[in-house]
Amino acid sequence: ALKLVTIGGGSSYTPELIEGYIKRQAQLPIKEIWLVDVEAGLEKLNIVGAMAKRMVKTAGLDWEVHLTLDRRTALKDADFVSTQFRVGLLPARIKDERIPNYYGMIGQETNGAGGIFKAFRTVPVILDIVKDMQELCPDAWLINFTNPSGMITEAIKTYGHWDKVIGLCNVPVMAMSSEPELIHKTLDELTYKFAGLDHFHWHRVWDNTGQEVTMQIVDKLFGDEDAGLPTNIFDVPFFKDQLENMRMIPCGYHRYYYRQEEMLAHGLAEYRDNATRAQQVTKIETELFELYKDPNLDYKPKQLAERGGAHYSDAACEAMASIYQDKKTHMVVSTLNQGAVPDLPSDHVFEVSAQIGAAGAVPMAFGHFQPAERGWLQLMKNMELVIVEAAATGNYGLALQAFTMNPLIPAGATAKRVLDEMLVAHRNYLPQF
Ligand code: NAD
Ligand code: G6P
Ligand code: MN
């Protein structure tokens, strides 16, 4: 019988996770679910935890649901640990977005200066968690969706020396669930292949006769810009000429790079209206927790779909079931490249199509990239390595190097000022600096 632990259990996404477990009750012989949080999240944990208990009860299951602030007790003898925490909660995200915006830069929680600082805050915590796991549940699998998911997975592997980890994101899931119908197909009739980095990957698609249909999908995407786009990303269309040259489908987050000017303008307008995404999410979250308080609510409310991360907990449950049942399912995960993309180092983390089974993730070969995408990936991956090392060591010069490399941060005195200001703003969560 399985003991499942979720760190950041007070998340508004927890009902989706519980729904995912209930759906897979025949595949996952669950005994205990432990939802772990910190003092600052205690109220959220209690509300959403009570809701989780109701869902399990309504489903007629005898699973124990434990709510705790004691991470070590929770981790003892765990089989699967999933991580969905936000260090500093939404007030920290508001700073991640608004401080760069104030200086005229993109403010986004996984890209630009905000993404760098989310990594800086998260890496010390995840390395602590891994240290606990080494002692308390050395055989457990770690399923990480804490953002920036790819960089956090890299930190777990490279600095935590923990190999049994899979990093997840819902963006590929959303592409695969929305695109097939655009070309009147079902997902079963298509073969998808993804490669790149978390929030910076591309994909190609083939039909069951082996014919590539990527560009057919691209054509349809141009009538329906937001197909598969998470709700948190503004839908500036890509340049069609660029995609015709690329012959791949970029992920939603590529907009921040390919249409930086327009994404910045949109972000700054939201900033002036006091409506950055973090501020919008604060409202949505308050509404969701009001719903969760209802003692009669025992199913995931439809309003959760307003969150950009909808479906990601379901992917987490599927990863656990695939490992446990050795299902060899196709999933897109952050894992070691191992030659899937020969242009890139084999011993670092990329987001690639993989088979998920008892051995974890086995990446599928994607092949070479053309110079444009290869160049982007080399810059972005090396920037990730600089960020993760700066986060693990607290080296200020390296943090400045990361800011200088980031394509969304114009290098210079203003960039250094943003770095310095964010170090002060987040100092309670940056013990390493
Ligand atoms: P949230 O702000 O609700 O945070 C979740 C919980 O984490 C909170 O209850 C908080 O108190 C708790 N927490 C904070 N620090 C903690 C710590 N040190 N230990 C344990 N718990 C702690 O955030 P959310 O909107 O639910 O998102 C959670 C995380 O998941 C974020 O990092 C977010 O970026 C990420 N996310 C990832 C994806 C994906 O595609 N990979 C999708 C959605 C969200
Ligand atoms: C996206 C991403 C997540 C991200 C989230 C933001 O789809 O894949 O990694 O954290 O949605 O959503 P939010 O509702 O928090 O802005
Ligand atoms: Mn994501």
Side-chain angles (χ1 to χ4, degrees):
L2 297 174
K3 178 176 184 182
L4 311 181
V5 180
T6 296
I7 317 266
S11 163
S12 56
Y13 291 106
T14 292
E16 188 179 272
L17 192 71
I18 302 297
E19 188 188 70
Y21 291 150
I22 293 172
K23 225 162 61 182
R24 291 172 184 80
Q25 53 185 281
Q27 300 170 49
L28 292 169
I30 298 172
K31 179 162 183 288
E32 298 167 49
I33 297 171
W34 287 72
L35 302 176
V36 184
D37 215 287
V38 288
E39 191 66 44
L42 184 57
E43 197 192 334
K44 289 176 54 176
L45 177 68
N46 283 333
I47 296 169
V48 80
M51 160 103 182
K53 288 181 182 177
R54 290 195 296 274
M55 291 176 75
V56 168
K57 194 167 166 220
T58 302
L61 295 158
D62 60 359
W63 303 344
E64 297 165 24
V65 179
H66 298 267
L67 315 181
T68 184
L69 302 187
D70 181 358
R71 186 173 81 201
R72 290 178 57 85
T73 301
L75 288 176
K76 180 94 183 90
D77 301 324
D79 296 290
F80 288 97
V81 177
S82 59
T83 43
Q84 55 174 26
F85 59 92
R86 181 191 304 285
V87 179
L89 292 109
L90 284 169
R93 178 172 174 184
I94 291 178
K95 294 176 186 175
D96 280 342
E97 296 179 358
R98 293 190 64 88
I99 296 172
N101 280 162
Y102 178 83
Y103 290 100
M105 296 175 196
I106 283 178
Q108 211 283 322
E109 78 161 332
T110 62
N111 293 273
I116 294 175
F117 267 84
K118 189 158 163 56
F120 287 175
R121 294 196 304 283
T122 309
V123 166
V125 177
I126 199 76
L127 293 180
D128 256 11
I129 293 172
V130 169
K131 220 185 273 163
D132 282 351
M133 288 179 67
Q134 261 141 3
E135 186 190 329
L136 299 164
C137 54
D139 297 323
W141 274 96
L142 175 52
I143 311 291
N144 175 68
F145 13 109
T146 297
N147 272 319
S149 177
M151 286 190 255
I152 300 309
T153 307
E154 179 74 53
I156 292 166
K157 291 256 193 202
T158 304
Y159 294 90
H161 307 292
W162 184 273
D163 290 326
K164 292 173 87 174
V165 57
I166 285 179
L168 284 180
C169 174
N170 67 328
V171 169
V173 177
M174 292 182 79
M176 288 186 282
S177 73
S178 62
E179 288 172 3
E181 68 187 53
L182 296 176
I183 56 166
H184 310 293
K185 298 273 185 205
T186 62
L187 184 55
D188 292 347
E189 296 169 322
L190 299 173
T191 300
Y192 270 78
K193 234 179 226 189
F194 290 74
L197 293 165
D198 181 46
H199 292 188
F200 205 89
H201 59 254
W202 297 267
H203 67 271
R204 296 173 63 184
V205 192
W206 292 264
D207 70 13
N208 55 15
T209 70
Q211 174 110 355
E212 184 160 6
V213 295
T214 310
M215 297 314 290
Q216 287 178 34
I217 295 174
V218 165
D219 284 340
K220 297 293 179 190
L221 283 173
F222 276 91
D224 193 354
E225 270 84 28
D226 57 4
L229 191 65
T231 52
N232 57 306
I233 306 174
F234 180 59
D235 61 345
V236 181
F238 292 114
F239 291 122
K240 198 160 187 215
D241 299 309
Q242 192 185 356
L243 265 50
E244 273 164 3
N245 177 266
M246 197 178 289
R247 306 194 75 76
M248 292 191 293
I249 303 175
C251 82
Y253 285 90
H254 273 104
R255 284 170 173 73
Y256 289 103
Y257 300 85
Y258 295 162
R259 301 300 301 263
Q260 183 174 164
E261 180 186 346
E262 293 80 5
M263 293 302 277
L264 176 62
H266 177 77
L268 293 182
E270 287 189 336
Y271 167 79
R272 286 188 293 268
D273 289 344
N274 259 305
T276 57
R277 181 66 189 166
Q279 291 168 291
Q280 296 173 32
V281 167
T282 304
K283 286 207 187 87
I284 300 170
E285 197 185 273
T286 307
E287 286 163 23
L288 280 170
F289 276 85
E290 277 311 308
L291 292 171
Y292 295 166
K293 278 182 194 162
D294 177 352
N296 295 314
L297 188 74
D298 57 8
Y299 57 91
K300 178 183 88 176
K302 62 177 191 321
Q303 286 90 334
L304 189 56
E306 289 172 43
R307 293 298 304 277
H311 311 302
Y312 86 120
S313 334
D314 197 54
C317 300
E318 186 54 34
M320 293 178 204
S322 298
I323 292 172
Y324 190 71
Q325 298 285 354
D326 196 19
K327 284 166 75 174
K328 305 211 163 63
T329 342
H330 169 236
M331 290 187 74
V332 184
V333 298
S334 282
T335 191
L336 294 186
N337 175 16
Q338 294 176 282
V341 183
D343 309 319
L344 299 162
S346 62
D347 51 347
H348 284 295
V349 171
F350 292 86
E351 193 165 274
V352 290
S353 281
Q355 266 194 10
I356 312 297
V362 179
M364 299 177 193
F366 189 86
H368 293 279
F369 279 98
Q370 297 188 76
E373 289 71 45
R374 189 167 73 221
W376 271 111
L377 276 176
Q378 280 168 349
L379 171 72
M380 295 295 283
K381 182 63 218 181
N382 283 296
M383 178 195 71
E384 284 194 359
L385 294 179
V386 171
I387 295 170
V388 172
E389 188 182 342
T393 60
N395 184 311
Y396 177 84
L398 211 49
L400 188 54
Q401 286 271 60
F403 262 57
T404 310
M405 288 173 83
N406 192 297
L408 305 183
I409 306 175
T414 309
K416 188 169 184 296
R417 185 162 174 185
V418 173
L419 170 61
D420 293 342
E421 194 166 317
M422 291 179 84
L423 282 169
V424 174
H426 289 302
R427 67 179 178 278
N428 293 344
Y429 301 108
L430 299 172
Q432 74 276 45
F433 279 97

